Amino acid sequence: MIDHVNIVVADIERAARFYGEVLGLSRGFEKALEGAWIERVTGVKGAQALCVFMEMPPSDDPFDQPTRIELLQFLAPDGGVWSQNSRPTTQGIRHIAFTVEDLDALIEKLRAWNVKIVSEPVEVPFAVGSLGRKRLFYFYDPEGNLLEAAAYG
């Protein structure tokens, strides 16, 4: 089971508003992170950050809890931005995919937020395992992180 996915952001309030208002996640645990423990775990002297967990709706099964998105804004030190990191073809972890009920409604909401959308929804030309047919599109959050929205049916 995946506990959470971390996204380091430049503006935690803007990111939390996007993941809440556009993608429907709820704001959960919030904490300023500082001290010896955060320096030790990151390996970075003087590390200080703000943390907000964005949570998906809970499951009725206590052993099947939804994955959370952990937003971190480092106050010190500045880590900078790697411009090639948001390209779909760059090696490493590339995107987070969200399953949604209505792709067309989401794409309209994203347009209202002036979100950069990579393409209109595309249907995968084969069944995706036991999940069946899939439509999807890529888009970017306000921080430039690549995301996917998908619907099955």
Side-chain angles (χ1 to χ4, degrees), residues 73-106:
Q73 178 183 343
F74 278 89
L75 305 174
D78 181 15
V81 175
W82 184 40
S83 64
Q84 294 297 310
N85 198 42
S86 64
R87 294 183 63 201
T89 57
T90 303
Q91 293 181 0
I93 297 172
R94 205 45 33 230
H95 69 265
I96 301 170
F98 293 88
T99 303
V100 299
E101 293 289 322
D102 188 340
L103 282 180
D104 298 317
L106 176 60

Side-chain angles (χ1 to χ4, degrees), residues 38 44 53 144 146:
I38 191 70
V44 176
F53 273 90
L146 185 64

Side-chain angles (χ1 to χ4, degrees), residues 124-142:
V124 177
F126 48 83
V128 180
S130 63
L131 297 173
R133 299 302 291 236
K134 177 180 180 180
R135 285 180 68 221
L136 68 114
F137 67 91
Y138 286 164
F139 60 100
Y140 291 93
D141 76 4

Side-chain angles (χ1 to χ4, degrees), residues 34-48:
E34 58 188 351
W37 78 271
I38 191 70
E39 291 180 4
R40 186 170 182 194
V41 74
T42 61
V44 176
K45 184 85 172 135
Q48 296 178 353

